[in-house]
Amino acid sequence: MGLVDQLVNQPHYTLVNQPRENDILSHKELFDSIPEEYLSHKEKYENAIRKTVLYYRLMQKYQNYKEGSTILDETRANYRNLVSFAVFKDYPPLMLHNGMFIPAIAGQGTPEQQKHWLKRAKNMEILGTYAQTELGHGTFIRGLETTAEYDPSTEEFVLHSPTLTSYKWWPGGLGHTVNYCVVMAQLYIRGRHHGMQPFLVQLRDEATHMPLPGVKLGEIGAKLGLSTVNNGFLAFEHHRIPRDRMLMKNAQVLKDGTFVAGPSSKLAYGTMIYVRVIIVNGMANLMAKAATIAVRYSAVRRQSQIKPSEPECQILDYVTQQHKLLICIATSLAFSTCARWLWDVYTGVMGQMESGNMDHLPELHALACSLKVVSTMDVSGLVERCRLACGGHGFMHSSNLPYTYGLATAACTYEGENTVLLLQTARSLVKAWQKGSKGKPLSPTEAYLMDKSPVPKWENTLDGIIAGFRRVSAGKVQDCVSKIDKLVKMGTSYEDAWNQTSVRLVAASEAHSRAVILATFRSEVSRAAAALSPPLSRVLHQLVHLYCVYWALERLGDLLLYTSIAERDVQELQQQYEDLLQKIRPNAVGLVDAFDLRDEILNSTLGAYDGRVYERLMEEALKSPLNAEPVNQSFHQYLKPFMHGKL
Amino acid sequence: MGLVDQLVNQPHYTLVNQPRENDILSHKELFDSIPEEYLSHKEKYENAIRKTVLYYRLMQKYQNYKEGSTILDETRANYRNLVSFAVFKDYPPLMLHNGMFIPAIAGQGTPEQQKHWLKRAKNMEILGTYAQTELGHGTFIRGLETTAEYDPSTEEFVLHSPTLTSYKWWPGGLGHTVNYCVVMAQLYIRGRHHGMQPFLVQLRDEATHMPLPGVKLGEIGAKLGLSTVNNGFLAFEHHRIPRDRMLMKNAQVLKDGTFVAGPSSKLAYGTMIYVRVIIVNGMANLMAKAATIAVRYSAVRRQSQIKPSEPECQILDYVTQQHKLLICIATSLAFSTCARWLWDVYTGVMGQMESGNMDHLPELHALACSLKVVSTMDVSGLVERCRLACGGHGFMHSSNLPYTYGLATAACTYEGENTVLLLQTARSLVKAWQKGSKGKPLSPTEAYLMDKSPVPKWENTLDGIIAGFRRVSAGKVQDCVSKIDKLVKMGTSYEDAWNQTSVRLVAASEAHSRAVILATFRSEVSRAAAALSPPLSRVLHQLVHLYCVYWALERLGDLLLYTSIAERDVQELQQQYEDLLQKIRPNAVGLVDAFDLRDEILNSTLGAYDGRVYERLMEEALKSPLNAEPVNQSFHQYLKPFMHGKL
């Protein structure tokens, strides 16, 4: 078995080779004759709906979706995600139906509610989304303004949007697509506030699709990306719904208006963390897509000569190009590896939680935050690096790199804005520090914070680099704690001290995340490599090595401050890095081929397997409706009279 | 006079206040009722042409364009650029008519050619662009494939595109707009090659606009940005043009086919450098736009509480937000300052060149490359930072941040791809090093490379930081020279050694550029500040200080390696940085107000002067054509039968 075949047989890769996928991709009506980027905003939506219904039918058919496949199934989600890229350049308008509507009912509905609504939702007799964020409120849940007031006289909730800033804003599919929605609102009973609760609300008439009276709906408008997601807004004008539409698995409101609090509000963290695990894996996919496109293009494109006597060389032979791109291959593997690992941690902790053990939830939460932030941040940056590495052609939509960037960068903001999440992780690190200082035991991924041994001699090895990153992280957390303490002693409130330290807290949090990612990537690959052929194992270790050295060089300032690394170590690291580029270069195309992303999924003139870059660029250009006529009508109307001085 | 008024009266700002601009902005027909992002690709083009003819007529009228205003007029170009933002979210399709077509004729045409063609072009009786890049060739001019073969028997040139990769690709307006073009082609006379020469070629019939026989034309398709520029492709099939259509100010072809070489090919550098100066200033404008939008939004947006007892705070009060945004204000000022300074250097060197003195051309070239690279790189990154700092709303096209990013990031690639330019600058630095090592004098901006004094004690002052950056740059150049020498001694060819050192060369080149930018920003502001009021002078110095400290912290690893900076200096720098954020915070909104970008120019729901963010977001959303109907037709056609299981 060759290197590529073995790599393809890794769990990450086999998914895309399922014959069912090939079946779906054989439905030519799922593909566009005129690429989406030429359509108007409205046409894009209508075309997406046309494809959506067909796509979901086929997915149901091939996945036997109705017969009990669970939503919380990582491999299936990954598979769906990749096939979806072949059909939609952006995400489809019904993305949140499976992604959040169904999980919300499953996670927060009573057995009776699940029986009725989950069946309808899974059969897609009703279509739904999930509405939490408001026009004026995102991160700060307590600030949300939508109210649900219980009226015991009619046994109804009255949903209301008191201000413009209270309009629900952003939910995918909300604009014109769904007819139901799980709405988060502040519950009031007889004037008393009972926190945010979930309500299953019908928004549109099932037969006519008209918004129900008291429901104001629309789409929020054009965006940098996600143009077919049909993100919408929603406002209620004293809109009444029956009592049984509050999802009451946790908290309950009885007929007479008695409020019964749920057993633990921590259970709701599950879905949130699950979504972040999925995001990390999604980022690995986007990185694989972009790396495949840019590496293949760089093997086809020839530009300038390294030596005057030689023909123009493949641009992948320029070491600067290798520097831009090989880290992208390593990054995709690093995040798919970390996502798989995080998935195992997640299922483990969820299992414990079902038996009432919440001990590991905070650590899991911090890990999911860290990985979500670093994966979205790094992949967004590196997708752009891939695009720019393709020169002008990367700027063409037909390269599919701009769309890929739109998908990656959006994830920096949704499901927890990155800076906010880093500060949450920082809070957990500071807590761990304080706990550790009192001699209490720390969780496995944070234990290193309390390492009080003297700074060891620097070693230019993987272990040395990972230990160095832990030193950096621990040092930064300690600095933050000291600064906060100092400010508090000077009379500053803890909150102001926290804010004044927040630039450093964010940096500490990122350093911790990097330490976790480097260590996880390294150990998981070592574990898996035992079962692989020596050549494959070698190239995977080269990628891990490249990844660690790359980040050591990127964070030299930190290493110089917090570890014993010396100038000659740095020189050696730089040389190691350049040697690794040279070693990996011959396998670069093989490695992206091994991601095994079919041409339909790549959807790119620059990245197709056959390397017909220029022919495809020309073919795609000719699909522009502007090219259907040699002279555009605007010449006669405007340009001609203008040039003749008559306008 | 208040702080803002004084700032407004700086040269950079006065331009936008010209009453003529206000006149142009009063023409309501220049603005769209349906925002561009809702139109199809074809509609966008047609709408852009509609506005273009009106816009250029008005510009001619208000600028008395016909009566001798020069194209090479920096302030006018800046003025035009800003007004253009009010009318076009992207650049207009005729951008290169004034930007490159007219300068090419002016710079490369004979007096007779200028007399005839320049007049027609300036009157816009003909519309043109400039075609050099080909589908398969960008950077490497010698690799361009389009040929122009002289036929003495008919006194014609025969233009030909021998391959698909030889198609001209990218020129703005080429698709369907212009009817003339300056085409760069490889000149052959009787089989002998005479280098790249410029030809003025008619492409379309002036009356019908049909492409001429032998001319294949079209647009290259949809892109990440610049969607109304109408970038096109062009191929010739043995297309004949008269001998006098070669622009012969420099090289000439006589009737009998005799080739007369021009006096110096270096003159052509002038236009290229000029364009780069304009780009640096353009980046300062884009940065000012993005900073204004993000800072104003951050003063309006409230989210979470710093203290539980207080109401939700302006997000600009979060130090992490100040960290993201205040550097953007400083960056805009840094690049507008450097652009003005570079403009003075440019006009000085051009003056010398006219009297035959080419001595300072290489330095100017290296400076223009450096500043073009660093300004496009930094501003692209920081525009995205502004966008992400606006959370989800920054993702909306109505924020105008995505368009702004499209304009900024495109400049990383056009007019010299950034990595290629950094390597060109590196070549000049290595040359300077070699020259200096032989005791020869260096140009003013490179003289520091030969500073052989011992590493001085680190000082946390502006002078200290700037001196530190020079040490870094000199140290990196020296490392590169050593590595190349070592490789060559080991038997590697110089070219391969160069390539193997190129990751370091790029870093050295960037370090040099940073040293130049920091020093220039600092000295030019000090010079200008003498004439300002103490409060204004103070805040400008704070911004210079912030800029220097920010970059010192960003490049700590380099400073720790190449200077005597110690851990406690770093701690103090970090504290200085945080203190500066606190000092500048109260003036943040005033400073962006002082950029004096009118609402029409900002074109942003988030950045308008009155702060009606949420109202504008809602108003803009309602402009989406999808929102014109409560139920989209696709419901009846697809969703309804789908939900009823009939599809």
Side-chain angles (χ1 to χ4, degrees), chain B residues 121-262:
Chain B
K122 285 190 176 179
N123 285 342
M124 300 190 107
E125 295 162 25
I126 60 171
L127 301 173
T129 188
Y130 179 90
Q132 177 170 308
T133 299
E134 295 173 358
L135 183 54
H137 312 277
T139 298
F140 188 60
I141 310 287
R142 271 177 295 156
L144 293 167
E145 295 178 77
T146 304
T147 53
E149 200 167 353
Y150 185 63
D151 178 352
S153 70
T154 59
E155 294 178 11
E156 288 172 322
F157 292 102
V158 185
L159 291 168
H160 189 57
S161 311
T163 59
L164 176 60
T165 48
S166 76
Y167 275 47
K168 294 294 178 189
W169 196 269
W170 279 113
L174 180 62
H176 300 84
T177 314
V178 304
N179 49 13
Y180 281 78
C181 184
V182 172
V183 175
M184 297 302 292
Q186 307 284 5
L187 172 64
Y188 285 87
I189 305 173
R190 297 191 192 93
R192 191 163 159 215
H193 182 222
H194 294 280
M196 290 294 291
Q197 303 296 341
F199 299 87
L200 180 64
V201 188
Q202 182 177 355
L203 303 178
R204 290 175 177 271
D205 182 277
E206 288 190 27
T208 66
H209 212 54
M210 281 296 286
L212 297 185
V215 174
K216 192 171 166 186
L217 273 176
E219 70 128 1
I220 62 170
K223 303 170 301 286
L224 181 153
L226 308 181
S227 59
T228 52
V229 172
N230 195 224
N231 302 88
F233 65 79
L234 164 66
F236 297 108
E237 221 170 321
H238 303 292
H239 180 65
R240 289 177 169 264
I241 57 171
R243 189 184 64 93
D244 66 4
R245 298 294 170 91
M246 177 171 142
L247 294 174
M248 298 205 203
K249 182 174 173 182
N250 301 314
Q252 291 174 48
V253 175
L254 306 185
K255 284 185 184 176
D256 66 355
T258 306
F259 179 77
V260 185

Side-chain angles (χ1 to χ4, degrees), chain B residues 88-132:
Chain B
F88 306 96
K89 285 192 172 176
D90 283 325
Y91 296 127
L94 285 182
M95 188 191 163
L96 293 193
H97 177 80
N98 288 327
M100 293 200 74
F101 181 63
I102 291 180
I105 299 172
Q108 305 189 60
T110 62
E112 303 77 52
Q113 286 174 323
Q114 290 193 34
K115 195 178 168 201
H116 181 70
W117 294 109
L118 219 45
K119 181 165 161 274
R120 295 199 76 200
K122 285 190 176 179
N123 285 342
M124 300 190 107
E125 295 162 25
I126 60 171
L127 301 173
T129 188
Y130 179 90
Q132 177 170 308

Side-chain angles (χ1 to χ4, degrees), chain A residues 253-316:
Chain A
V253 175
L254 306 184
K255 285 184 183 175
D256 65 355
T258 307
F259 179 77
V260 185
S264 164
S265 61
K266 284 189 178 166
L267 281 169
Y269 275 89
T271 316
M272 205 163 73
I273 294 171
Y274 162 73
V275 172
R276 290 182 189 151
V277 179
I278 295 298
I279 289 175
V280 178
N281 198 57
M283 290 301 119
N285 286 339
L286 293 176
M287 189 74 266
K289 244 175 87 181
T292 303
I293 294 168
V295 168
R296 286 186 179 161
Y297 174 70
S298 300
V300 172
R301 178 75 169 184
R302 292 175 176 274
Q303 198 76 170
S304 301
Q305 302 148 308
I306 289 177
K307 291 182 195 171
S309 55
E310 291 174 357
E312 290 192 77
C313 66
Q314 291 168 295
I315 59 175
L316 194 51

